[in-house]
Amino acid sequence: SFEDILCLADSSSLSDITLDGNPIAQETWYKHTVLHHMMQLRQLDMKRITEEERRMASVAARKEEERKRESHKQTLLKEKKRLTICNIARQWEIQQNRTALEASLNQDKDSEPCQINGSAAYVFPEESRSLDAILSSAVQGLSVLESHLVEVEGDTLGLYGAGALECLDRNWSVQTAGIIVTVSFMFIEFDEIVQVLAKLRMKFPNCVHLKFKETNLVALQQFNALAELHRLEQLTVDPQGNPVVSFTLWKSYVLFRLNHFNLQKINGVKVTEDDVVKAERLFGILAYVASSELPHYRVLSFFGESRRKQFHYLIEGKGKKSGVGSEESIDNRRNGGESTTRATLNYMTKDFHMEKLEEIKERKTFCQTYVENLVKEAADINMKNESLQKLWPQMFIELVRDAVIEIRNKNSYMKLCLQRITEQKQ
């Protein structure tokens, strides 16, 4: 091995060395390595060393050093990535435990053990030690672990942790954004993902595949939010951290709600025509019920002008008579747009729902105050009316009496009337 002769490099007077016949001389890197570490040599294996050979040996040695440094750098980056993901997983687990604990306290179920929304906890061999200790001992020179990670690997954009969503606000180059086909979300609440779907559609126009792992997908209605994407050909929902996958009909609902995307694969399994027909049979009536139960003004608020026109035709029954509605429906499918009735099946995040509740509460307070004022005014009018009914007989007698007294003397009454007319003219 080269280590056996490395001690010779310490000699400053050694000028001639012959290693011919030793196994080390059969290696391809033998000559370059020896010359790089023994620059004072004049002859090697009884051959004079030229300046060109020294230069080539120096270049080869430099390239080897660069390769080793790059390999070491990649090793460090991989280790940092692993530890960062470990840190993100730990923070996610703590957050889920805290959420589950708060939910259990609110429901007075202290006796039941807290669960992490059906997700399995991450287990790492190094979990018994602090991450900082691992980092300092295993990876020297790395920065402090981040609470999120953004990674572009090939045509896949990986987002780990809620903070990674901020990368969608960056100025991505057209070339980089164009090659992104798959976006993977991990350790991020689905409600937070919903808020950036519009940015995702604008930043990565060629994205056709979404992956969700540890995102708290717990209800079928959450899939409604994906309808606002531009394109979607594949959907992968990992069972880990997404309890909705345990539902028997979740794939059917996805196919029904996202029918306008013509999904090709769900969780790696190819979608067949029978699957689409089955989904339509199972949930087809749901869209009709949802749209028919909503007031017309609420339904119209979901659509743009072109869609409103189409919906008017459906409401008024003109679609079947004139054929306009069916034509628009066909054009709608060609353009990749979702059907009018399906659009009523939307998803509202918890934060947005709370804002709506506050708004509803304010409206309720205003309406209650307004109705109370109307009731008070109506009560006052009713009291006045009842008083009038009681006083009216006596008032009527007095009016008749005064009129009879006034016109009893005809001449005096005529003079009084003329006087009043004269006063009015003046």
Side-chain angles (χ1 to χ4, degrees):
S1 67
F2 180 73
E3 284 73 15
D4 294 337
I5 61 170
L6 191 61
C7 58
L8 299 176
D10 297 333
S11 174
S12 59
S13 60
L14 185 64
S15 62
D16 188 353
I17 186 172
T18 301
L19 298 170
D20 192 25
N22 291 286
I24 191 176
Q26 306 300 321
E27 300 292 341
T28 56
W29 45 263
Y30 156 68
K31 189 172 184 179
H32 289 160
T33 304
V34 171
L35 291 179
H36 177 67
H37 287 84
M38 303 179 187
M39 298 298 293
Q40 76 278 13
L41 286 181
R42 294 181 180 178
Q43 287 192 154
L44 177 62
D45 294 338
M46 294 178 290
K47 292 181 181 179
R48 189 170 184 81
I49 300 169
T50 64
E51 290 300 321
E52 180 64 18
E53 288 176 329
R54 293 183 191 278
R55 190 184 66 82
M56 293 295 294
S58 179
V59 171
R62 195 182 308 116
K63 288 183 179 179
E64 181 65 18
E65 288 295 326
E66 290 177 356
R67 186 190 66 79
K68 289 181 179 179
R69 281 197 299 270
E70 183 64 25
S71 176
H72 182 62
K73 180 181 178 181
Q74 292 299 324
T75 302
L76 294 180
L77 290 176
K78 288 181 180 178
E79 184 67 7
K80 181 181 179 181
K81 173 187 173 182
R82 187 185 70 82
L83 295 176
T84 300
I85 294 176
C86 173
N87 184 43
I88 296 170
R90 171 176 288 188
Q91 293 181 4
W92 172 263
E93 183 180 345
I94 292 172
Q95 177 187 346
Q96 298 307 301
N97 276 326
R98 185 185 299 115
T99 303
L101 179 60
E102 291 176 356
S104 63
L105 290 175
N106 292 336
Q107 297 174 6
D108 295 328
K109 294 181 180 179
D110 299 334
S111 59
E112 296 184 5
C114 297
Q115 297 182 355
I116 313 176
N117 289 341
S119 63
Y122 270 70
V123 179
F124 294 89
E126 299 84 3
E127 286 288 28
S128 57
R129 294 181 291 162
S130 73
L131 292 173
D132 290 338
I134 298 170
L135 185 62
S136 60
S137 61
V139 188
Q140 297 294 331
L142 288 180
S143 61
V144 179
L145 290 177
E146 299 289 344
S147 59
H148 64 274
L149 177 66
V150 179
E151 178 188 36
V152 177
E153 187 173 354
D155 61 356
T156 301
L157 172 64
L159 303 177
Y160 300 81
L165 298 177
E166 297 177 2
C167 76
L168 298 178
D169 294 324
R170 300 176 186 171
N171 292 325
W172 291 77
S173 66
V174 177
Q175 183 178 3
T176 304
I179 65 173
I180 298 299
V181 175
T182 303
V183 177
S184 175
F185 300 97
M186 197 168 178
F187 303 113
I188 309 174
E189 286 284 348
F190 185 79
D191 282 4
E192 297 182 12
I193 297 174
V194 171
Q195 299 174 13
V196 300
L197 287 179
K199 295 179 182 178
L200 184 69
R201 179 178 60 184
M202 294 176 60
K203 292 286 184 178
F204 308 107
N206 296 326
C207 176
V208 294
H209 185 189
L210 293 184
K211 292 182 177 181
F212 299 95
K213 186 175 181 179
E214 291 285 359
T215 56
N216 273 345
L217 269 164
V218 297
L220 294 179
Q221 61 175 343
Q222 290 176 294
F223 290 112
N224 297 341
L226 302 180
E228 66 177 280
L229 293 172
H230 179 65
R231 286 170 61 192
L232 192 62
E233 295 178 2
Q234 294 188 53
L235 180 66
T236 302
V237 182
D238 196 287
Q240 190 167 340
N242 297 307
V244 72
V245 179
S246 62
F247 297 172
T248 305
L249 301 178
W250 79 272
K251 289 185 179 179
S252 297
Y253 184 79
V254 169
L255 288 175
F256 158 74
R257 183 61 187 87
L258 307 180
N259 178 267
H260 56 289
F261 286 144
N262 294 321
L263 286 170
Q264 304 298 315
K265 290 183 178 180
I266 297 180
N267 279 16
V269 180
K270 190 174 181 180
V271 176
T272 64
E273 192 66 31
D274 292 339
D275 295 333
V276 177
V277 173
K278 178 184 176 182
E280 190 64 31
R281 287 177 178 174
L282 286 170
F283 296 101
I285 193 65
L286 179 63
Y288 171 76
V289 172
S291 60
S292 61
E293 290 297 321
L294 283 179
H296 293 168
Y297 76 92
R298 287 286 308 280
V299 177
L300 291 175
S301 65
F302 294 141
F303 315 123
E305 289 298 326
S306 59
R307 304 284 294 284
R308 289 177 187 175
K309 186 177 180 181
Q310 176 190 358
F311 187 72
H312 275 305
Y313 275 110
L314 290 174
I315 292 176
E316 298 171 6
K318 293 181 179 179
K320 294 182 179 180
K321 296 179 181 178
S322 62
V324 177
S326 59
E327 290 175 4
E328 289 188 2
S329 179
I330 294 172
D331 292 339
N332 208 20
R333 293 194 187 99
R334 289 174 181 172
N335 296 332
E338 58 184 335
S339 67
T340 305
T341 52
R342 282 183 175 85
T344 58
L345 300 172
N346 54 8
Y347 175 64
M348 188 181 298
T349 63
K350 294 179 181 177
D351 293 339
F352 187 72
H353 181 65
M354 293 304 296
E355 292 178 5
K356 281 291 184 182
L357 288 179
E358 289 295 327
E359 184 179 344
I360 292 172
K361 187 177 180 181
E362 292 178 1
R363 290 182 180 180
K364 184 178 179 180
T365 303
F366 170 78
C367 292
Q368 186 174 357
T369 305
Y370 182 71
V371 171
E372 287 177 354
N373 292 335
L374 289 178
V375 171
K376 184 178 180 181
E377 185 178 350
D380 292 341
I381 294 173
N382 185 59
M383 289 179 63
K384 293 177 180 179
N385 185 48
E386 290 179 354
S387 300
L388 178 62
Q389 294 299 325
K390 292 179 181 179
L391 297 174
W392 176 245
Q394 183 62 30
M395 291 173 62
F396 183 75
I397 293 173
E398 292 178 357
L399 287 172
V400 173
R401 187 195 62 188
D402 292 343
V404 172
I405 294 173
E406 191 175 18
I407 64 173
R408 183 174 51 183
N409 191 333
K410 187 176 181 181
N411 293 329
S412 300
Y413 179 68
M414 291 176 64
K415 289 180 180 180
L416 180 61
C417 289
L418 289 173
Q419 185 179 354
R420 289 175 180 173
I421 293 173
T422 305
E423 291 175 354
Q424 288 178 0
K425 289 182 177 181
Q426 293 176 354

